[in-house]
Amino acid sequence: MNKKPRLPWLLPMFPTIRRPNMTQFSPLVGVRMTGSGAATPERILTNDQLAQMVETNDDWIRSRTGIRERRLVSNSRESVASLATLAAQRAIAQAGITAEDLDLIILATSTTDDLFGTATQVQARLGAQRAVAFDLVAACSGFVFGLVTASQYIHTGAFRNVLLIGADVLSRWVDWGDRRTCILFGDGAGAVVLQAGDRNQILGWELRSDGQGHGLLNIAYSTEQQRFEPITMNGQEVYRFAVRCVPDVIAKALHRAEHAIGEVDWLILHQANQRIIDAVVDRLHLPPERAISNMATYGNTSAASIPIALAEWVDSGKILPGHLIVASGFGAGLSWGAVVWRWG
Ligand code: COA
């Protein structure tokens, strides 16, 4: 049978469908970020306690990283799913919606409870019956990659209410005898609610990958051992990569958003190392007080670090509706990216 193409004669009725150069700047539907929440484990591990486990000391860790303590899952009730669910409940409450309103749940994590995915467990725990749920893996860039992904579903009109969670329990994957890595990481979760709106508040973004640097930071599967190995990292190279690439990606995202660095109210960098934050702030010529930092109390919580920092600054009334925020995630992959948005 000779089938006629059905779409072309419909296109004049929907001119936006034909627009071949549709970019992030001309979304069909606007996106607003309307809620945020965070959850961290109860147990605290201080630098002094770490110094009893490996040859290190509080001075060394503070001066090289800015970290004083971190929070670690410590019992069978605490997991990626439990922390993600708690952070999500707080974000949903702040947005003034219910779990049943959610259309989509994206869980950014690299430390899943189950290799088949953890997002559906979170969906069940929340009672978000209508929502489709999946995991997204992009290491410490997970929240930023997830924010861009989630926004696309809303921009296209496919979904109206999206929950994005960044949650990681890297403590499960750290070699607690390796002082070069075990001092850095902590566990936690942060979440945001994104909703369709008349005005678009997700203003610009830039995402990057470079698989050539894949070997610099890994939790690799060993075919010999038939299991995943603990985290391995080339600290100096990762440091150099972050300081070189992050200012560039932030500048590009701001350019796309048509904003200058001087207009930014808050910079939320992935909380990896205070020295990285200081170097990036310096290169961007940003007043240091606009750079959010809470790694002293949480360490590097991977995909959770940006949304935890966001939720804390929103809850303490420092981030206000209309404030211009730029966030940048970076890490294993290598992957890195930045997003510019207005809160609320
Ligand atoms: N305590 C005390 N000494 C330590 C130590 C620790 N926890 N870890 C390493 N050292 C020692 C090293 O053995 C080395 O000793 P040596 O000179 O006798 O060999 C010395 O300190 C310097 O080691 P180096 O690796 O050069 O330190 P550094 O200045 O690069 O700092 C990091 C190490 C990990 C803090 C730093 O490289 C870093 O922060 N990198 C970025 C990591 C990151 O952010 N990763 C996540 C990205 S998502």
Side-chain angles (χ1 to χ4, degrees), residues 56 60 64 140 179 183 233 235-236 238 270 272-273 300 330:
T56 189
W60 195 96
R64 303 278 174 129
C140 301
R179 68 176 183 174
I183 57 161
M233 181 183 71
Q236 290 190 0
V238 172
H270 164 50
N273 183 315
N300 176 345
F330 53 89

Side-chain angles (χ1 to χ4, degrees), residues 27-305:
L28 302 179
V29 181
V31 179
R32 293 174 56 216
M33 191 181 284
T34 54
S36 66
T40 51
E42 280 168 26
R43 182 180 161 218
I44 295 172
L45 184 73
T46 64
N47 289 347
D48 286 337
Q49 288 168 317
L50 254 179
Q52 290 164 15
M53 296 158 61
V54 287
E55 203 183 323
T56 189
N57 58 73
D58 180 48
D59 253 7
W60 195 96
I61 302 173
R62 276 191 200 216
S63 61
R64 303 278 174 129
T65 70
I67 298 166
R68 274 201 327 260
E69 59 191 37
R70 66 288 294 144
R71 287 165 177 255
L72 309 178
V73 293
S74 59
N75 55 51
S76 56
R77 289 190 318 278
E78 288 183 328
S79 62
V80 171
S82 76
L83 293 170
T85 303
L86 198 52
Q89 284 165 337
R90 291 172 178 160
I92 291 166
Q94 195 175 82
I97 61 170
T98 66
E100 287 89 43
D101 295 322
L102 293 172
D103 302 306
L104 170 67
I105 298 169
I106 298 177
L107 173 61
T109 184
S110 305
T111 54
T112 183
D113 293 336
D114 179 331
L115 275 184
F116 287 142
T118 305
T120 54
Q121 286 183 54
V122 177
Q123 181 227 14
R125 287 176 187 231
L126 289 173
Q129 287 128 0
R130 288 182 43 248
V132 63
F134 64 84
D135 291 29
L136 181 151
V137 184
C140 301
S141 309
F143 181 79
V144 165
F145 279 46
L147 184 48
V148 174
T149 306
S151 300
Q152 306 315 303
Y153 282 101
I154 298 176
H155 284 326
T156 57
F159 294 128
R160 294 191 68 79
N161 298 314
V162 179
L163 172 69
L164 168 65
I165 311 161
D168 270 306
V169 290
L170 275 167
S171 66
R172 287 180 183 161
W173 299 98
V174 163
D175 174 353
W176 289 100
D178 177 5
R179 68 176 183 174
R180 290 165 306 163
T181 53
C182 74
I183 57 161
L184 298 174
F185 300 102
D187 303 334
V192 294
V193 170
L194 299 158
Q195 297 189 267
D198 294 341
R199 245 182 335 138
N200 183 42
Q201 303 277 57
I202 306 287
L203 305 172
W205 51 265
E206 180 78 12
L207 303 181
R208 293 296 178 87
S209 305
D210 178 10
Q212 299 291 340
H214 175 248
L216 296 180
L217 186 50
N218 298 98
I219 304 176
Y221 185 78
S222 159
T223 41
E224 251 169 60
Q225 308 273 332
Q226 299 196 338
R227 61 174 168 79
F228 285 95
E229 301 275 14
I231 294 178
T232 58
M233 181 183 71
N234 182 331
Q236 290 190 0
E237 284 303 319
V238 172
Y239 184 92
R240 280 195 203 107
F241 142 73
V243 172
R244 189 179 69 245
C245 294
V246 169
D248 177 61
V249 89
I250 288 174
K252 289 206 165 75
L254 279 168
H255 177 72
R256 287 169 181 237
E258 298 179 355
H259 281 291
I261 188 75
E263 295 173 88
V264 170
D265 292 299
W266 300 106
L267 170 71
I268 315 181
L269 286 193
H270 164 50
Q271 305 283 300
N273 183 315
Q274 187 60 45
R275 289 193 303 159
I276 294 178
I277 296 186
D278 294 344
V280 170
V281 163
D282 199 46
R283 283 175 193 219
L284 291 172
H285 304 293
L286 189 79
E289 63 276 12
R290 294 196 203 161
I292 292 177
S293 174
N294 66 358
M295 83 186 64
T297 41
Y298 300 117
N300 176 345
T301 57
S302 194
S305 84

